[in-house]
Amino acid sequence: MRLINLIIILLFIVGCKKKITTEVDDSKLDSSLLKNGMLVLCEGLFQQNNASISWVDFSNISTDNLFFTNKTGRLLGDTGNDMQIYGGKIYIVVNVSSTIEVLDKSNGKSLKQISMMNGNFAKQPRSIAFYGSNAFVTCFDGYVDVIDTTSLLITKRIKVGSNPEGLTVSNSKLYVSNSGGLNTSKVDSTVSVINLISLEENEKITVGKNPGSILTDSKGNVYVIARGDYSGITSRMIRINSVSDKVETIFPFEISGMENMEDNLVLIYKSNGSSVSKIGIFDPIKEVFSTPELISSTNFTTLYGVQYRASNNKLYCFDAMSYTNSGYVKVFSSTGIFETSYHVGLNPSKLIFYE
Amino acid sequence: MIIKHLLQIIFFNCFFCMLGYSQDTVRSLSEVNVSTFELLKMKTLEITSQSYSRNQILYSQPEDIGAILQKFSGTAVKSYGGLGGLKTVSVRGLGSHHTTFLIDGFTINNTQTGQINLGQLQTDNVENVTLSIGGRNGFLLPASSYTNGSIVSVNTFENNQSNEFFKIRYSTRIGSFGEIDNYLSTKISKKNLFLSAFGKYRQANGKYPYLLKNGTIDYKGIRNNNDLLDWYSGVTFGKFFKNDAELRIIYKTNGANQGLPGAVILYNEMANQRLSTQSQSLNLDFTQNYKKIAYRIFGTYNYDWLHYSDPFYLNNTGGISTVYINKSTQLGSSFQYKLGNKSIFFGGVESRYSELIFSTPNSAIPKRLNSFGLFGINFNREKWTSELQITVQSVLEENNSGERAVNRFKVNPFLSLENIEFGSWKWKFKAWYRNSFRMPSFNELYYNSIGNVKLKPEEANQFSVGLSIKPIDKKFDLTVVLNGFVNRVDNQILAIPTKNLFVWSMQNIGRVNTFGYESRVRIEKCFNSFWFTDLDLNYTFQYSVDVSDKKSPTYLNQVAYIPRHTGNLIYNLKRKNTGFQISTSIVSLRYSLTENSVSNQLNGIEIVDLGVFSKINFKNKQSLRIQFSVKNLLDSSYSYIRYFVMPGRNYLLTLNYAFN
C-alpha cells in the first residue's frame, strides 16, 4: 500500500510539473501606439539572456515587463547596455548578444536587428550616440562603428582606444571614453576625440584610470567619470573643455553616476570620508553642490543610476536591488520628495519617456 | 607564520606518535587472536547511505559519477552539459563544497576550486559508489572525510586483490556526437600481493543539436566548442604482510583538452574558451588489523596543472592564456580500537598542505595548511547504537603576494542514535545531528578581483531522522527507507555583482534553511533461476529557502537551482544474462536566481533512459557483454543550468570483455 502511495506521489509530481509561461501568444503582439508612459531598459544578468524592456503606462499605472517579447515575439538577449531614441527610432544596444535592436518609436515594433558580429567574432557593443545621419556605437573590440540611420547598415569602423564604453557629442566632435576595462590592472585612461566630419580620431586625452560614463552639459563641456580601480584609486569626475580638448578640472569626490538636469548636473557621489552614495545637484559653473544631498541612499537597496525628465521636472532613480532581484524605478520630485515607484525587470538603467 | 605552521605540525604529529605507541601496546594482545577486520568494519548504514553497484553501473551506463549520484535521493546535480563538462552535486540543499569524495579510501580535493568536477570521474573501473549522509560508510577513513556534510565513496576494480591470478577488463563505447571510449585494465594477484595497471582514452566532438525557446520562436542550434579528449591511467601495487597488514601504492595520472561551450547566448554563437588539465597523484597507505585495534597510515601527493585560454577575449594582449598549478601534500593516520565487546573508539589526524600558483602577474600566491583531528566513539548496546564524533580543524593561510585570509580553528560535533533491527518487519530508526563548515576555496578568496579574502567559512547544521523497513516476505524482497531532515547554512558563499554588473565578487550571503524528506523503495523478485526483476523508486522534497533578511524580496524564496521535487525510477528485468533497464529522472522546476519570479524559472526535467543488454560466457572464464542504450529517449529539451543546454536523444553502444 505504501508503495502504491509513493508511485501515486511520483505520478502526481509529473502531472503537476509546471511549464514556464514565458511563451508569448502571437495575438499579444500588438502594434498599438505608445503614449503617456516610459520604456525601461533592464540590463539583465550576464549569460542569462534576460535583458528586457518594461513598458510603464502612466495612465493606468500598469507595467508590462515583457514589452520587447510581446512586440517582437522573441527575447532581447544578453545584457542590454544602452537605449536611445533618435529620428523616430529606438536603438537598443545589447552587449553580450552583440546586437542592436531597432524599434519603431511610435509602436515599438521591430524594424531591424543589426548583428554586431564580425564573422564569428562578437564586437560587444556598449553605448550609442547620434550626429546627423549617423549613429555611433562603441564596441568593446576597440572601435566605434558608424551606422547609417536610414539604411541601418554599418558604414565604417573607427579605431579608438581599448574597450570603449561611453560616448557623447559636443562641438562637432565625438568624445569616446576608453575604459580598457578588460585589462584588469592595465586599464586605459583616455578619451578619444573623433572629428565628426572626417570620421577619424583626432587625438586621445588622458583623463584618469578606467573612464566610463561621459556626457555633454548645457554649455558644451564634456564630463567623464574615471572609475579608478575599485580599490586604491578612487573614481573622479573630470571636465574636458570641448574647444581646447584639454582637461580643465578634476573634481575631488568619488562618483558613480551623472546626468544633466537643465544647467546643472545630478550626481551620484560620495562626500569625503563617506562610504555611502547619495544624489546631489552640482552647479558646474560655480563648481559646488547647490544641493549636496537631494536624495539619500537609504531610499535604495542598490542605487544604480538616475535620469531627469524635463517635462515634469522629476528625477527617476534606478534601484538594482542587489543586482540579482528585479528592480525598481523610483520617482522623486525636484526637491527630493519620494513620489512613487515602478517594479520592473532586472537591473533597470535607461528610460525613454512618452508624453 | 612559519613558526605557527611548525607548531601546528608538531601538535598533530605528537598525537600521531602517541597513536603509534598505543598500536605497539595492542599488537602484543593480538597475537593470540585472529584478525577482527570484519568485526571492526562499520556496517553500512542503509538509512543514511545509498549505493550503486557494478551491475547497476553496467545496466545504466552512466557517463560519469555525477550521473550515478543523480539517481540517489537527496541530491541535486548541476551539469553544464556534454561529456567531461563541469558537473557538481548538492546534497540536501548544501552546496557542492560540503561533499567529500573518496576514491579507494583517499580523499580527492581541489583547493583551487573547492569542488570536484564529477564530469571527469568516469565509471569504467568503478565497483561501487556510496553516498553517505550522516554516518560513516568505510573503514579507517581519513579524518578530513568526517568534516563535511556528506561523503561519496568510490571503490575501483584495480584497488583489490582477487582470487584469480590474472584478470582483464576491457570496454569500448561508441556513442552519439563522436564519442569513442576505450578502457583496459589488467590485474595480477598472488597470495601476498597484487599489481594492476589501467588506462582509458575518450574523445567526443560534442556537437549535439538542441532546441531552445526564444519567446514564441523555436530555435534549433548545434552546440559549439564542446569537443573533448581526455585520458587517465594508473598503477596500483598491494602487498600483504603478517598480522593482516597491507601496503598499497597507487599512482594515477590524467589529462584533458576540451572546449568550454558556455551558456547559449542568443544571437551570438561565438565560443572559443578552452581548458586543458593534467594531474598526477601518488597515494600510499599501510593498514594493519589486530583483534582490538586497526590502524592506517597514509600519504598523498597531488599535482594539478590547468590551462585556461580565451583567444578572443577583448584585452590588449590578444586574449587570455593562464596557467594554474595546484599542489597538495597530505599525511595522516586513522585508527579504530575496540572497547570491550560492544564499543569502538576511533579517530585520526591529518595534515594537508596546498598551494596555488597563478601564471598571471601580480596574482596571489596562496598557501594553506589544513589540519584535521577526529575523535569518535561508537556505543553498541542491546537495542541501540549511538555514535559521537568530534572533529577539530585548523586552517592556516598564507599569501606571498598580498593580503591573506584569516586563520580558522573549528570544533564540530556529530551525534547519532540508531536502534538494532527488530520485529518481523525489521524496523530500524536513526536520528543524527552534524555541525560542519567548509572553507572558501583559493579561487573564492584570491582570484583576481573576484576573490574576497574577508570571506567567512560557510557553516552547516544538519538534523535528520529516518527509518527503514524490510518486511520478511518469501515472495519478494522489499526495503523502504524514509528520512526527514532540517538543515541550516550560515554565511553562504556566492558570487554576486558588487560595484556594477561587470564587477563581481564572492560574498557571504546570509542564511538558508532546508526542510525536506526522502523516501526510497526497493523491490527485488526472483521468479525462478532464470528470471529476475527489481525496481528502485525514490522521491525527495526540499524546501530550501533564503531566510537571511525578512525585508528582502527573496525571503522564503526557494534557493537558486535547488529543485523542490526530485524523483527517480529504475526498473530492471533480466532473464539469465539478457535483459533491459528503463529509468527515469524527474526534477521539478527551479529558479536561476533566488528571486522566485516567472522570469527566473527553468522548466522541470523528465529524462527517460533505456538499455538492453546481453552477456555471453565463453570457455576459459571469458565473457563478452554488449549493451545498446538510448539516453533521453523522449528527446527532451532541458538544462540544469540556465542556457547550458543538454543533449537530446542519443545512443550508446558498449562492449565489455572480461577474463576472470
Side-chain angles (χ1 to χ4, degrees), chain B residues 551-587:
Chain B
K551 294 176 183 172
S552 164
T554 60
Y555 186 70
L556 294 183
N557 280 201
Q558 187 80 4
V559 172
Y561 291 115
I562 301 292
R564 197 156 280 182
H565 310 279
T566 51
N568 285 283
L569 179 152
I570 305 171
Y571 176 71
N572 295 303
L573 180 64
K574 201 169 91 163
R575 185 186 182 278
K576 284 181 139 182
N577 292 320
T578 302
F580 80 93
Q581 178 183 85
I582 187 160
S583 67
T584 180
S585 292
I586 297 164
V587 179

Short mmCIF file of all heavy atoms in Angstrom, two decimals, chain B residues 551-587:
data_model
loop_
_atom_site.label_atom_id
_atom_site.label_comp_id
_atom_site.label_asym_id
_atom_site.label_seq_id
_atom_site.Cartn_x
_atom_site.Cartn_y
_atom_site.Cartn_z
N LYS B 551 13.12 41.52 5.13
CA LYS B 551 12.74 42.61 4.24
C LYS B 551 13.17 42.36 2.79
O LYS B 551 12.80 43.12 1.90
CB LYS B 551 13.38 43.92 4.72
CG LYS B 551 12.84 44.39 6.06
CD LYS B 551 13.58 45.63 6.51
CE LYS B 551 13.09 46.06 7.90
NZ LYS B 551 13.92 47.14 8.45
N SER B 552 13.97 41.31 2.59
CA SER B 552 14.47 41.05 1.25
C SER B 552 13.37 40.46 0.37
O SER B 552 12.52 39.70 0.83
CB SER B 552 15.64 40.06 1.33
OG SER B 552 15.91 39.51 0.06
N PRO B 553 13.37 40.79 -0.93
CA PRO B 553 12.37 40.18 -1.83
C PRO B 553 12.56 38.68 -1.98
O PRO B 553 11.67 38.02 -2.49
CB PRO B 553 12.62 40.91 -3.16
CG PRO B 553 13.98 41.49 -3.06
CD PRO B 553 14.23 41.76 -1.63
N THR B 554 13.69 38.16 -1.55
CA THR B 554 13.92 36.72 -1.70
C THR B 554 13.66 35.96 -0.40
O THR B 554 13.91 34.77 -0.33
CB THR B 554 15.37 36.42 -2.15
OG1 THR B 554 16.26 36.94 -1.17
CG2 THR B 554 15.66 37.06 -3.48
N TYR B 555 13.13 36.66 0.61
CA TYR B 555 12.87 35.97 1.89
C TYR B 555 11.85 34.85 1.67
O TYR B 555 10.79 35.05 1.07
CB TYR B 555 12.35 36.97 2.92
CG TYR B 555 12.18 36.38 4.30
CD1 TYR B 555 13.29 36.04 5.06
CD2 TYR B 555 10.92 36.15 4.82
CE1 TYR B 555 13.15 35.48 6.32
CE2 TYR B 555 10.76 35.60 6.09
CZ TYR B 555 11.88 35.26 6.83
OH TYR B 555 11.73 34.71 8.07
N LEU B 556 12.21 33.67 2.13
CA LEU B 556 11.40 32.45 2.00
C LEU B 556 11.24 32.01 0.54
O LEU B 556 10.35 31.22 0.23
CB LEU B 556 10.03 32.58 2.66
CG LEU B 556 10.05 32.72 4.19
CD1 LEU B 556 8.62 32.77 4.74
CD2 LEU B 556 10.80 31.56 4.85
N ASN B 557 12.10 32.51 -0.33
CA ASN B 557 12.11 32.03 -1.72
C ASN B 557 13.03 30.82 -1.83
O ASN B 557 14.07 30.76 -1.17
CB ASN B 557 12.60 33.13 -2.67
CG ASN B 557 11.51 34.15 -3.01
OD1 ASN B 557 11.58 34.84 -4.00
ND2 ASN B 557 10.48 34.24 -2.18
N GLN B 558 12.65 29.89 -2.70
CA GLN B 558 13.47 28.71 -2.95
C GLN B 558 14.83 29.13 -3.50
O GLN B 558 14.91 29.97 -4.40
CB GLN B 558 12.76 27.77 -3.94
CG GLN B 558 13.42 26.44 -4.16
CD GLN B 558 13.14 25.42 -3.06
OE1 GLN B 558 12.36 25.70 -2.14
NE2 GLN B 558 13.75 24.26 -3.14
N VAL B 559 15.87 28.54 -2.94
CA VAL B 559 17.23 28.91 -3.34
C VAL B 559 17.48 28.51 -4.80
O VAL B 559 16.97 27.49 -5.28
CB VAL B 559 18.25 28.22 -2.41
CG1 VAL B 559 19.68 28.40 -2.90
CG2 VAL B 559 18.10 28.77 -1.01
N ALA B 560 18.27 29.32 -5.50
CA ALA B 560 18.54 29.07 -6.91
C ALA B 560 19.07 27.67 -7.14
O ALA B 560 19.94 27.19 -6.41
CB ALA B 560 19.57 30.10 -7.42
N TYR B 561 18.53 27.03 -8.15
CA TYR B 561 18.96 25.71 -8.64
C TYR B 561 18.73 24.55 -7.68
O TYR B 561 19.22 23.45 -7.92
CB TYR B 561 20.42 25.74 -9.09
CG TYR B 561 20.60 26.56 -10.34
CD1 TYR B 561 21.36 27.73 -10.33
CD2 TYR B 561 19.99 26.19 -11.52
CE1 TYR B 561 21.49 28.51 -11.46
CE2 TYR B 561 20.12 26.96 -12.67
CZ TYR B 561 20.88 28.11 -12.63
OH TYR B 561 21.01 28.87 -13.76
N ILE B 562 18.03 24.77 -6.59
CA ILE B 562 17.64 23.65 -5.73
C ILE B 562 16.19 23.30 -6.08
O ILE B 562 15.28 24.09 -5.84
CB ILE B 562 17.74 23.99 -4.23
CG1 ILE B 562 19.18 24.38 -3.87
CG2 ILE B 562 17.27 22.81 -3.38
CD1 ILE B 562 20.18 23.25 -3.95
N PRO B 563 15.95 22.13 -6.68
CA PRO B 563 14.56 21.77 -7.03
C PRO B 563 13.78 21.39 -5.77
O PRO B 563 14.34 20.84 -4.83
CB PRO B 563 14.74 20.54 -7.94
CG PRO B 563 16.06 19.97 -7.54
CD PRO B 563 16.91 21.09 -7.04
N ARG B 564 12.52 21.71 -5.78
CA ARG B 564 11.69 21.32 -4.62
C ARG B 564 11.36 19.83 -4.68
O ARG B 564 11.27 19.17 -3.66
CB ARG B 564 10.42 22.16 -4.62
CG ARG B 564 9.72 22.15 -3.29
CD ARG B 564 8.86 23.36 -3.09
NE ARG B 564 9.64 24.51 -2.68
CZ ARG B 564 9.12 25.70 -2.40
NH1 ARG B 564 7.83 25.89 -2.47
NH2 ARG B 564 9.89 26.71 -2.04
N HIS B 565 11.22 19.29 -5.87
CA HIS B 565 10.90 17.86 -6.00
C HIS B 565 11.88 17.19 -6.95
O HIS B 565 12.16 17.72 -8.03
CB HIS B 565 9.50 17.66 -6.59
CG HIS B 565 8.42 18.44 -5.92
ND1 HIS B 565 7.83 18.05 -4.74
CD2 HIS B 565 7.86 19.63 -6.25
CE1 HIS B 565 6.93 18.95 -4.39
NE2 HIS B 565 6.92 19.91 -5.29
N THR B 566 12.37 16.04 -6.56
CA THR B 566 13.13 15.20 -7.49
C THR B 566 12.69 13.75 -7.28
O THR B 566 12.29 13.38 -6.17
CB THR B 566 14.66 15.27 -7.26
OG1 THR B 566 14.93 15.03 -5.89
CG2 THR B 566 15.23 16.60 -7.66
N GLY B 567 12.77 12.97 -8.32
CA GLY B 567 12.39 11.57 -8.20
C GLY B 567 13.09 10.71 -9.23
O GLY B 567 13.54 11.20 -10.27
N ASN B 568 13.24 9.45 -8.92
CA ASN B 568 13.87 8.52 -9.85
C ASN B 568 13.12 7.20 -9.84
O ASN B 568 12.60 6.78 -8.80
CB ASN B 568 15.33 8.23 -9.43
CG ASN B 568 16.24 9.37 -9.74
OD1 ASN B 568 16.63 9.58 -10.88
ND2 ASN B 568 16.56 10.15 -8.72
N LEU B 569 13.09 6.58 -10.98
CA LEU B 569 12.55 5.23 -11.10
C LEU B 569 13.53 4.42 -11.94
O LEU B 569 13.92 4.87 -13.02
CB LEU B 569 11.17 5.28 -11.76
CG LEU B 569 10.44 3.96 -12.00
CD1 LEU B 569 8.94 4.19 -11.99
CD2 LEU B 569 10.85 3.28 -13.31
N ILE B 570 13.92 3.28 -11.44
CA ILE B 570 14.82 2.39 -12.20
C ILE B 570 14.22 0.99 -12.18
O ILE B 570 13.99 0.43 -11.09
CB ILE B 570 16.23 2.36 -11.59
CG1 ILE B 570 16.80 3.77 -11.45
CG2 ILE B 570 17.16 1.48 -12.43
CD1 ILE B 570 18.10 3.83 -10.65
N TYR B 571 13.96 0.45 -13.34
CA TYR B 571 13.37 -0.88 -13.41
C TYR B 571 14.26 -1.79 -14.27
O TYR B 571 14.64 -1.43 -15.38
CB TYR B 571 11.96 -0.81 -14.01
CG TYR B 571 11.35 -2.18 -14.18
CD1 TYR B 571 10.95 -2.92 -13.06
CD2 TYR B 571 11.19 -2.75 -15.44
CE1 TYR B 571 10.42 -4.19 -13.21
CE2 TYR B 571 10.64 -4.01 -15.60
CZ TYR B 571 10.27 -4.73 -14.47
OH TYR B 571 9.75 -5.98 -14.62
N ASN B 572 14.59 -2.94 -13.74
CA ASN B 572 15.40 -3.93 -14.47
C ASN B 572 14.62 -5.23 -14.62
O ASN B 572 13.95 -5.68 -13.67
CB ASN B 572 16.68 -4.27 -13.70
CG ASN B 572 17.60 -3.07 -13.61
OD1 ASN B 572 17.98 -2.51 -14.62
ND2 ASN B 572 17.93 -2.67 -12.40
N LEU B 573 14.73 -5.83 -15.76
CA LEU B 573 14.18 -7.16 -15.97
C LEU B 573 15.25 -7.99 -16.67
O LEU B 573 15.80 -7.56 -17.69
CB LEU B 573 12.91 -7.10 -16.83
CG LEU B 573 12.24 -8.45 -17.12
CD1 LEU B 573 11.72 -9.10 -15.85
CD2 LEU B 573 11.11 -8.28 -18.14
N LYS B 574 15.52 -9.15 -16.10
CA LYS B 574 16.62 -9.95 -16.64
C LYS B 574 16.22 -11.41 -16.72
O LYS B 574 15.60 -11.95 -15.81
CB LYS B 574 17.83 -9.80 -15.71
CG LYS B 574 19.14 -10.12 -16.37
CD LYS B 574 20.30 -9.70 -15.49
CE LYS B 574 20.71 -10.82 -14.59
NZ LYS B 574 22.04 -10.66 -14.00
N ARG B 575 16.55 -12.03 -17.84
CA ARG B 575 16.42 -13.47 -17.96
C ARG B 575 17.79 -14.04 -18.25
O ARG B 575 18.40 -13.72 -19.28
CB ARG B 575 15.45 -13.85 -19.08
CG ARG B 575 15.20 -15.35 -19.15
CD ARG B 575 14.37 -15.76 -20.35
NE ARG B 575 14.14 -17.21 -20.32
CZ ARG B 575 15.00 -18.12 -20.75
NH1 ARG B 575 16.17 -17.73 -21.24
NH2 ARG B 575 14.73 -19.42 -20.69
N LYS B 576 18.27 -14.82 -17.33
CA LYS B 576 19.66 -15.29 -17.40
C LYS B 576 20.60 -14.09 -17.60
O LYS B 576 20.65 -13.24 -16.75
CB LYS B 576 19.81 -16.33 -18.51
CG LYS B 576 19.26 -17.69 -18.16
CD LYS B 576 19.49 -18.63 -19.31
CE LYS B 576 19.93 -19.99 -18.87
NZ LYS B 576 20.18 -20.88 -20.01
N ASN B 577 21.24 -14.03 -18.75
CA ASN B 577 22.22 -12.96 -18.95
C ASN B 577 21.73 -11.88 -19.92
O ASN B 577 22.52 -11.09 -20.43
CB ASN B 577 23.53 -13.53 -19.49
CG ASN B 577 24.22 -14.38 -18.44
OD1 ASN B 577 24.22 -14.03 -17.26
ND2 ASN B 577 24.74 -15.52 -18.86
N THR B 578 20.44 -11.88 -20.17
CA THR B 578 19.90 -10.90 -21.11
C THR B 578 18.78 -10.12 -20.41
O THR B 578 18.01 -10.69 -19.65
CB THR B 578 19.34 -11.60 -22.35
OG1 THR B 578 20.40 -12.35 -22.94
CG2 THR B 578 18.81 -10.59 -23.37
N GLY B 579 18.73 -8.84 -20.68
CA GLY B 579 17.68 -8.07 -20.01
C GLY B 579 17.63 -6.64 -20.49
O GLY B 579 18.29 -6.26 -21.46
N PHE B 580 16.87 -5.84 -19.81
CA PHE B 580 16.80 -4.42 -20.14
C PHE B 580 16.59 -3.61 -18.88
O PHE B 580 16.17 -4.11 -17.85
CB PHE B 580 15.70 -4.14 -21.18
CG PHE B 580 14.32 -4.07 -20.61
CD1 PHE B 580 13.77 -2.85 -20.22
CD2 PHE B 580 13.55 -5.22 -20.47
CE1 PHE B 580 12.49 -2.77 -19.69
CE2 PHE B 580 12.27 -5.15 -19.94
CZ PHE B 580 11.73 -3.93 -19.55
N GLN B 581 16.93 -2.34 -19.00
CA GLN B 581 16.67 -1.40 -17.91
C GLN B 581 15.98 -0.17 -18.48
O GLN B 581 16.36 0.33 -19.54
CB GLN B 581 17.96 -0.94 -17.24
CG GLN B 581 17.69 0.08 -16.14
CD GLN B 581 18.95 0.62 -15.48
OE1 GLN B 581 19.56 1.56 -15.97
NE2 GLN B 581 19.32 0.02 -14.36
N ILE B 582 14.98 0.28 -17.76
CA ILE B 582 14.38 1.57 -18.09
C ILE B 582 14.45 2.43 -16.84
O ILE B 582 14.17 1.96 -15.74
CB ILE B 582 12.94 1.42 -18.64
CG1 ILE B 582 12.45 2.77 -19.13
CG2 ILE B 582 11.98 0.82 -17.61
CD1 ILE B 582 11.29 2.68 -20.10
N SER B 583 14.88 3.64 -17.02
CA SER B 583 14.98 4.52 -15.85
C SER B 583 14.50 5.91 -16.22
O SER B 583 14.58 6.32 -17.39
CB SER B 583 16.42 4.59 -15.35
OG SER B 583 17.23 5.24 -16.29
N THR B 584 14.00 6.58 -15.24
CA THR B 584 13.56 7.96 -15.47
C THR B 584 13.95 8.83 -14.29
O THR B 584 13.93 8.40 -13.14
CB THR B 584 12.04 8.03 -15.73
OG1 THR B 584 11.68 9.39 -15.95
CG2 THR B 584 11.24 7.48 -14.57
N SER B 585 14.37 10.03 -14.59
CA SER B 585 14.69 11.03 -13.56
C SER B 585 13.78 12.23 -13.76
O SER B 585 13.59 12.69 -14.88
CB SER B 585 16.14 11.49 -13.68
OG SER B 585 17.01 10.45 -13.37
N ILE B 586 13.26 12.70 -12.65
CA ILE B 586 12.35 13.84 -12.71
C ILE B 586 12.87 14.92 -11.77
O ILE B 586 13.21 14.64 -10.62
CB ILE B 586 10.92 13.43 -12.28
CG1 ILE B 586 10.37 12.39 -13.26
CG2 ILE B 586 10.01 14.63 -12.22
CD1 ILE B 586 9.18 11.65 -12.73
N VAL B 587 12.97 16.12 -12.28
CA VAL B 587 13.39 17.27 -11.47
C VAL B 587 12.35 18.35 -11.69
O VAL B 587 12.03 18.69 -12.83
CB VAL B 587 14.78 17.77 -11.91
CG1 VAL B 587 15.20 18.98 -11.09
CG2 VAL B 587 15.83 16.67 -11.82
#
